Structures are given as structure tokens and as C-alpha cells.
Amino acid sequence: MTLLERMAPPEIITTNGHLIDYLFSYTTIMNLIFFFFVCLGLFGFSYLYSSKRSAKGEYTYGNKKKQQAIVGYLIGASVFLLIDINITRMSNDDMLNEFWNFPKAEEEVIKVEVLAQQWMWNFRMAGADGEFNTADDVLTNHDLHLPVGKKVEFRITSKDVIHSFFIPNARLKVDAMPGRISRMWFETTKTGAFEIACAEMCGTHHYLMKGRLHVHSEEEWNEWYNEAQNLADIGNDNDNIDNFWGWKWESEQ
Ligand SMILES: [Cu+2]
């Protein structure tokens, strides 16, 4: 693996992950452009007004108002408008139109409940009855299995401290907080195995909260899901609070 490949961001596996990369690229490029102008001014004026080329230094009482206005307001305003305001505008558009634009109730969505705990990820999907918190729920730890080409919605909470559910390949990260349900969604576009991480320092074994996201083809996933449901009866013990942490899924939460 070359250095450039190592520095490249993780492969994008969702329909809207590129929006985040675009924001990063835009910020970097705009900063490079302004950095170039700052260097041009710094080195240019150093050259123009070096001791060889100009008269001896003299005391000055500052710039005239007009010069101040041009330098101060023009440069300030262009940085503010091109970088600050534009990034705010673009990220707000992305938030409202994509990341907070959750799949509608009538759409086909894979629903996943996530419970973070020190130091593990618990995942829950509804079984054949489509209801959460029933005996046929499909539970997994660390590993999350999803089909490709489907919208997936997550409801995330925590059992103990604040964690952060982070899928780098999806460019998404949402805090998992006790007593509160956070939401997140994406649509998968690629099969494979990808990393899930906790992005909030949550205790001594924080590093152990490394999960795996497996994106399967639809047939493969169906096979896994059917098999997992058969196993569910054994794994789902209603009296065992450690296994039975789910909640009813409400369309507006
Ligand atoms: Cu954590």
C-alpha cells in the first residue's frame, strides 16, 4: 500500500457519504487559495520593500481610512462569505435534505436498534412479526449484518455512559446517550466488511468497542436473517434483562 493510498479516506459505502467528503475538499481548497494569497502578500511585500529597494524606514501614523476599508473589509468579507457562510449553507442543506431527511413510514426500511454499553455494541432487528421487543427479535453483538441497496434506519441509545456510534465508511457519527434515543439513517451501496467504532472516550476499554458492519447481497442477507430468526428463540430470554433491552419502534421518535 502506497503512502497516498494510506492517506486516502475510507471507501464510501452509502448514497450520501460523498457530501461530507465534498465539504472537506471545499474547505481544504478554499483554505489553500487564501493561504496562497497570504503568502503572496507576505513574501511579495517583503521583496518590494526590502532595504535595497526602498528608502530608510520612517514613522507612520497608520493607514488612511480608505486603505483600511479596502484591506480590512474586502479580505475579511471574502473569507467570511466564501468559506464560513458557504460551508454553513452547504452543511445545512445536506443536513435538511439528506441526513435529517429520514425514510418515510411507508418506505421499505431496515430498522435497527442499537444499544451501546461499556464496551460493546448490541444490535436488534425485528423478527418476522415486524415488531420490536418480541421473542423473535434478531440480536447480535459487535457484528451488524445489512443488505446492500436498502435504506437502514438506526435508533441508538446507551446503557451506561455516553458513547458515539461511528461508521467511517458511511461518514456518519451519532452520540449514544443514556435516557435518550438518537437517530441515523443511510442507504448502502457496496457489499463487504467495514469498521464500526466508538468515537467517544467511554472508559478504560473504549478501544474494545470495535464492531464490524457486514453488508451482504440481498439473497445472502435473507439467508442470514432467516437463520438468525430460528436462533432467536434460544437467545431471546424475556426474563434476562441483558438480552431484553429493546423498545417499541415508533415512527416519530
Ligand atoms: Cu464507547
Side-chain angles (χ1 to χ4, degrees):
M1 203 184 247
T2 63
L3 183 68
L4 264 185
E5 280 170 345
R6 274 165 185 270
M7 282 166 66
E11 179 192 15
I12 297 174
I13 57 156
T14 57
T15 51
N16 50 21
H18 65 279
L19 295 170
I20 302 290
D21 284 17
Y22 180 79
L23 277 177
F24 271 106
S25 311
Y26 181 84
T27 313
T28 310
I29 289 168
M30 288 317 283
N31 277 300
L32 284 174
I33 290 173
F34 278 97
F35 180 68
F36 169 77
F37 283 117
V38 168
C39 287
L40 196 71
L42 196 66
F43 293 109
F45 286 125
S46 305
Y47 176 79
L48 276 180
Y49 296 107
S50 74
S51 57
K52 277 184 216 150
R53 282 171 206 81
S54 50
K56 216 177 166 193
E58 56 184 278
Y59 285 111
T60 164
Y61 292 96
N63 287 322
K64 292 196 179 101
K65 279 259 156 59
K66 224 180 191 174
Q67 286 171 307
Q68 275 177 347
I70 290 170
V71 175
Y73 297 135
L74 212 70
I75 295 178
S78 56
V79 170
F80 184 66
L81 291 175
L82 282 168
I83 303 188
D84 300 275
I85 286 291
N86 224 10
I87 294 171
T88 310
R89 181 188 62 79
M90 288 190 289
S91 45
N92 270 299
D93 281 354
D94 292 347
M95 271 301 189
L96 295 174
N97 301 329
E98 278 291 331
F99 300 109
W100 285 349
N101 188 10
F102 286 90
K104 306 282 169 290
E106 62 275 11
E107 278 181 274
E108 195 199 343
V109 185
I110 307 286
K111 298 168 179 161
V112 184
E113 290 184 352
V114 183
L115 178 77
Q117 71 176 88
Q118 286 171 322
W119 290 276
M120 187 167 81
W121 294 106
N122 300 278
F123 301 105
R124 174 184 291 268
M125 281 183 222
D129 62 359
E131 290 275 315
F132 276 87
N133 226 9
T134 57
D136 69 345
D137 283 5
V138 174
L139 279 86
T140 54
N141 301 324
H142 299 294
D143 291 280
L144 170 62
H145 297 267
L146 295 174
V148 72
K150 289 272 154 89
K151 288 187 176 178
V152 186
E153 186 173 337
F154 297 93
R155 298 282 164 91
I156 304 148
T157 191
S158 169
K159 194 180 193 175
D160 35 50
V161 300
I162 299 175
H163 302 269
S164 184
F165 187 55
F166 181 29
I167 303 181
N169 296 82
R171 307 290 192 269
L172 287 172
K173 183 196 288 172
V174 167
D175 273 5
M177 285 170 281
R180 192 161 144 176
I181 295 169
S182 323
R183 298 171 72 187
M184 179 172 122
W185 81 275
F186 58 64
E187 187 176 337
T188 50
T189 55
K190 278 186 186 137
T191 56
F194 310 97
E195 196 178 345
I196 297 171
C198 177
E200 185 81 54
M201 177 60 199
C202 58
T204 50
H205 292 71
H206 164 63
Y207 71 95
L208 281 182
M209 291 186 73
K210 184 179 176 178
R212 212 99 186 105
L213 163 64
H214 305 269
V215 184
H216 304 280
S217 68
E218 209 176 333
E219 297 143 39
E220 226 179 76
W221 184 80
N222 279 330
E223 218 169 274
W224 169 85
Y225 181 68
N226 290 333
E227 213 167 287
Q229 273 181 91
N230 293 335
L231 294 174
D233 294 340
I234 313 163
N236 283 342
D237 178 0
N238 293 28
D239 298 326
N240 183 347
I241 196 75
D242 277 335
N243 269 344
F244 234 75
W245 49 267
W247 59 90
K248 293 284 172 217
W249 187 283
E250 278 158 37
S251 43
E252 279 310 316
Q253 216 160 23

